Amino acid sequence: MLLAVLSALAFLPGATPRARAIPAATNDAAYKLYGRVFPDPQGCTKGTPGSSPWAKGNVCATQFLQWDETLTGLRYLQGKYPRFGHLENLHDLKATVPEFAKLDMQSAGLPQADESRARRDLYAFVVTDDQSPVPLAERHRYAFSLSIHGIERAGLEGGVRAAEDLITWAATAPNTHILEPTNSGPTAGEVLRNSVIYFVLSNPDGWGRGEISKGGVYFQRYNGNGADVNRDFPGVGFANPVYTPESEPEEQGYAAYLRHERDVAGRPFTGGGDLHGMLAADSFSFTLLSGTAESWAENTRVVDTAEAIYADAIKRLSYSPLIGDPKKCPGNIPVFVVISEGSAPMCPDQWGTVWDTIDYQTTGSFGDWMASDLGLGATAVDNEMAYSHVLPNDVFNPAIEQLHVDGNKGIIYAQLAALSHPAEPAAPVSASVAYAPSVQRKVRAASATAAAPNALRAQADLAVREVAGQGAQFDVQGPQDGVANGGLSAEFTFTNVDGISPETASNVVLERYGSDHPGEGEGWHEVGRWYRQELTYFPAGARIDINEPLPGRYRLAPSGLRHGVTTMRVHFTPSKAVPQPNLPYNVANTDVFAGLGAHVRAVTPAAILANPHALDGVSIYALADDPAPGVAAKDGAAWFAALKTFASNGGTLVLTDHALDALVDLGVVPASALVKGVEYGGWISLTDEKGASTFGAPLATGLDRAGASNGSGAGFDRRRQTYDPGAVGYPIAATPGPDCTSGDSCHAPQEMVNLDAWRKAGGSVVGQTAVVVKRNSSEPTGVAYGEVPLGRGRVRIAGGLLPTPTEAYNHPYGLEGYALSWTGWQVLANMLSINAPTSVKASVLSVDELPRTGGDASAPLDFAAVVITLAALVRFTRERANARRRLHTLS
């Protein structure tokens, strides 16, 4: 086994020389020779030991797919099977779809040696059955983005071939089950009758720069503007302004096209995903749960999809010596690839949040947009696949590329199968639950009227040339010139060779001369800067967007690092260059409770203080991030006394986030035991104080799932993210990766309890966390998840789950009230369901325990109270049976 793995790893940097590309079949003779349009990397070796049994074709591909041969091949495939496939040129649609008329529907353009831009039309390949009896509007819709990062070839190599499989099967063998390894799932004929599948060719520029058939040197992550298109999509919550969302022509084009397809159907997409790649890792494939599910039902569909992908990967990828037994992976062979490392044999697949899998968070991703109501409203998952861009990112190894092809086919087919008949899951809570509604709703009203169109024209575009970093100046006009500029977009093209330029190693900054703002002295002041994400790819283009530029003298600031020519094309628009829509919202963190089941209802603290019986029959009462919502200071003692009475009589009190402060007023722990601060995101590690796994604890029910990924942090190895800070407004740093003990990348609220104090109170430890109390200091650790007895009841805590949303940071596309990860949803469901207690004392009552009108046992029975008590007893018995039934099902 060791020899086999080492042999499989022989492809690492420089091991595989460049090879010419086998062209795609463009005529019947070539198609017969190749056995398909796009032969697989192991088409000629399938069935031999260590080779893929799923490979297609008669010959072996020896190079990555090239742009022109891919388009030509897809056109041939369309011509051969016109019923099932169609290559859509989005630029051509400008003439027939009015809302596309003002869009480029082309890429930003790869910079050329003559400082021009080679723009390419945007394309999507659409797969469906044109003769299906199912009306087009009623079919499921799916969108798959292929290699939006041009260096990450895995998604494109697999996605294009998956499209060919589906079409070929539907046309020649419609009863073929798409889950080949298990011969299960829907048939290809069924899928295409019931679905419309869009394969999006996401980054023509980054793809084009690596085409060796045209003299390309190596692929590029970005588009021709040096912008990461996968940071350019709008998202609800915090939007990092350095990415200037919706500024790039690729995002504008693909978003408009897919939204148009959604609107034509009149309903959201069913599914989708963005297919990426990474360097070395411990798992060959990471399935990323995109965004945050808005409901328990959506969360269930996302998790079911991830588990279906995992189950398929185990079977589909097991032929390779690089892939290990999922119960024993990863192996103990270290693998280092430039800046990344992992171990082999690798796990076939793991799934979880972006942070839990690839260790960072971001904003503006295509996959999150697909999942959002701003986009497609789909059940979307993304994927990262290992070894898809071994530097210099054009290393083609047939064994690895076949794994990419097989792995991405599995992702696509498993999602199509999992969502082909989506069921509405049952609500997770059947206990009698009440919660205190938040009094901190965040509201932004819709704009009452649209701004009147400006009667003045925008300034005419202009071109400016800068030589050797000397700077270049131009004038921006204003109303006095009969001009009203809503936006300014400056596109820079540098001296380059094959789209590669060292000029972008320097800063690209726009400045304005003046003193228009308070405290601003006369002189040059920065008004815009190109965000340079990294230098690895030396892109030859850049772009800066500014809204409502003030009239005056502007310049491309001089830089001593630039030595060639910079051509700056300045485009003025009557509207904003970067949308800042300030969309309306009306949200609160406690909105999450509304969809958890018919047994969940709001009961305000005021109602409880006014009526001691307000919680009669309630098993669980929940407070999210506020220990006393709406309670006046004068009523504080009475409020906490009421909570203590509820728990002491057998109820369960649930506290999340800063509602943990109630532990002090309830007398559970001293104030010194509470620790508040921030983290990179909300998280818990499912470990006890000895570091042992707590997956067997009742409160961890449903969290130990096959293939679920565990991150690491603060010394814990079972870290799970519980909420997404960005969606509820908290900033996410542009630089990947958490850096909480230095810098300023952590803003997510987190609270915990000192371990010793918690144990002294008799509390159980189901999860721990860490908290940054002070910048540039160490992170103390403590208890974030568990329960502690209180009288005949108990108190359950989750220290980072449902923080109150913040409006303090940039959030032009609105705000979410809550943003639970799949772990967060399960934690909340467990706290509100597992072993649901009752507010009565026991399941059997003696006569002496029945309520009486007086204070002693000789007083007459209070028959009204007896009826209430017996009703609560019946409810408790039913709820306990339901809880046991759920536990049995989950186990």
Side-chain angles (χ1 to χ4, degrees), residues 64 131 135 150 372 492 531 547 790:
F64 295 109
Q131 297 179 20
S372 167
F492 305 86
Y531 177 65
N547 284 336
L790 185 59

Side-chain angles (χ1 to χ4, degrees), residues 179-220:
L179 300 181
E180 299 168 274
T182 53
N183 192 30
S184 63
T187 66
E190 291 171 338
V191 169
L192 269 61
R193 279 196 299 274
N194 294 304
S195 308
V196 183
I197 309 165
Y198 303 84
F199 293 92
V200 179
L201 308 184
S202 307
N203 187 351
D205 291 345
W207 183 355
R209 210 182 76 165
E211 289 185 282
I212 65 167
S213 61
K214 290 190 174 182
V217 181
Y218 60 94
F219 299 107
Q220 178 174 288

Side-chain angles (χ1 to χ4, degrees), residues 695-714:
F695 279 141
L699 281 177
T701 296
L703 291 170
D704 186 16
R705 306 182 79 143
S709 183
N710 299 312
S712 60

Side-chain angles (χ1 to χ4, degrees), residues 703-834:
L703 291 170
D704 186 16
R705 306 182 79 143
S709 183
N710 299 312
S712 60
F716 299 121
D717 62 359
R718 286 183 176 82
R719 175 190 51 74
R720 294 275 186 80
Q721 184 173 6
T722 52
Y723 76 86
D724 173 11
V728 287
Y730 295 92
I732 294 175
T735 303
D739 181 18
C740 290
T741 56
S742 63
D744 189 34
S745 63
C746 298
H747 299 268
Q750 186 94 14
E751 186 159 340
M752 65 184 186
V753 182
N754 174 271
L755 176 61
D756 291 338
W758 184 253
R759 275 305 198 188
K760 185 176 180 180
S764 65
V765 180
V766 183
Q768 300 186 78
T769 195
V771 169
V772 176
V773 179
K774 184 180 179 181
R775 302 288 182 191
N776 302 313
S777 63
S778 61
E779 298 175 90
T781 61
V783 182
Y785 187 35
E787 65 180 25
V788 63
L790 185 59
R792 292 190 297 274
R794 51 195 165 186
V795 181
R796 288 174 175 163
I797 64 167
L801 193 68
L802 293 168
T804 300
T806 178
E807 298 175 293
Y809 305 96
N810 188 51
H811 59 289
Y813 298 96
L815 200 63
E816 300 284 11
Y818 54 91
L820 295 177
S821 69
W822 82 269
T823 295
W825 275 111
Q826 191 64 56
V827 165
L828 181 63
N830 288 349
M831 290 198 299
L832 300 179
S833 299
I834 299 300

Side-chain angles (χ1 to χ4, degrees), residues 135-200:
L136 193 61
E138 295 179 14
R139 299 180 206 177
H140 296 295
R141 277 172 164 72
Y142 302 85
F144 295 101
S145 166
L146 310 183
S147 300
I148 196 170
H149 291 149
I151 58 172
E152 299 166 5
R153 310 308 299 158
L156 187 64
E157 297 293 317
V160 168
R161 291 174 169 93
E164 180 175 3
D165 278 2
L166 292 169
I167 289 174
T168 304
W169 285 335
T172 64
N175 292 325
T176 301
H177 293 279
I178 63 173
L179 300 181
E180 299 168 274
T182 53
N183 192 30
S184 63
T187 66
E190 291 171 338
V191 169
L192 269 61
R193 279 196 299 274
N194 294 304
S195 308
V196 183
I197 309 165
Y198 303 84
F199 293 92
V200 179

Side-chain angles (χ1 to χ4, degrees), residues 117 277 375 410 449 575:
R117 294 291 188 95
T449 58
S575 57

Side-chain angles (χ1 to χ4, degrees), residues 197-265:
I197 309 165
Y198 303 84
F199 293 92
V200 179
L201 308 184
S202 307
N203 187 351
D205 291 345
W207 183 355
R209 210 182 76 165
E211 289 185 282
I212 65 167
S213 61
K214 290 190 174 182
V217 181
Y218 60 94
F219 299 107
Q220 178 174 288
R221 178 184 179 94
Y222 313 118
N223 70 354
N225 284 334
D228 188 333
V229 180
N230 198 44
R231 303 291 185 271
D232 195 48
F233 284 81
V236 179
F238 173 71
N240 199 319
V242 301
Y243 297 133
T244 58
E246 296 192 89
S247 65
E248 298 306 310
E250 294 89 349
E251 183 283 332
Q252 295 169 2
Y254 286 124
Y257 170 67
L258 292 173
R259 277 197 303 261
H260 175 265
E261 296 298 292
R262 176 203 64 191
D263 295 343
V264 166

Side-chain angles (χ1 to χ4, degrees), residues 540-566:
R543 175 171 168 150
I544 295 175
D545 295 280
I546 302 170
N547 284 336
E548 299 175 344
L550 294 171
R553 191 70 171 162
Y554 284 70
R555 71 172 178 177
L556 169 60
S559 172
L561 294 180
R562 284 199 294 275
H563 303 285
V565 175
T566 300

